[in-house]
Amino acid sequence: YFVIGMRNGQVFLKSSDEGRIYAKSLLPDLTKYKNEIEGQIAKMGFVRGHAYVLHWNAKDVVKEMEEMPKGSILVAGQTRPQLMPAIRKAAAIVTDEGGITSHAAIVSRELGIPCVIGTKVATKIIKTGDMIEVDANEGIVRIAERTN
């Protein structure tokens, strides 16, 4: 581990065990998330459906997009123009990152599909196939039924 950061205008460096401990302290505590995740509302609406989690580090993201069933809820770290084939199939979008001017937020408003952004943990908590509710009126994503 190797961490470079800035605190009070001063650059700091942490490496080895100290870097590992510091890096892990920055990760969210996933144990506090049971069946509900909060985020920011990008496009209001309510959808219940099966999640389809798309990871950018997938070996073949194009193939994964092709395999995504129409009407699924797209869950991703963030969206980019390259994901439009999957976005067009989606009933709703949920992202870990992003703000009100992010790609997911803009595209969801253009397409008229509910969207919750900036959850920080959706791709870590939700699994493909989970039955989820995207309550983009309240900025909440609920896991109604887990696949495993």
Side-chain angles (χ1 to χ4, degrees), residues 1 16-26:
Y1 287 83
S16 195
D17 284 340
E18 186 182 19
R20 179 182 54 79
I21 292 166
Y22 185 79
K24 288 188 179 208
S25 76
L26 299 175

Side-chain angles (χ1 to χ4, degrees), residues 73-117:
I73 297 171
L74 176 62
V75 180
Q78 61 179 280
T79 66
R80 298 181 183 156
Q82 296 89 334
L83 289 184
M84 285 308 294
I87 293 168
R88 284 190 185 97
K89 294 180 185 181
I93 303 170
V94 177
T95 65
D96 291 342
E97 301 174 18
I100 204 67
T101 60
S102 67
H103 182 265
I106 292 167
V107 170
S108 67
R109 290 190 294 267
E110 288 174 353
L111 297 176
I113 58 176
C115 181
V116 175
I117 53 175

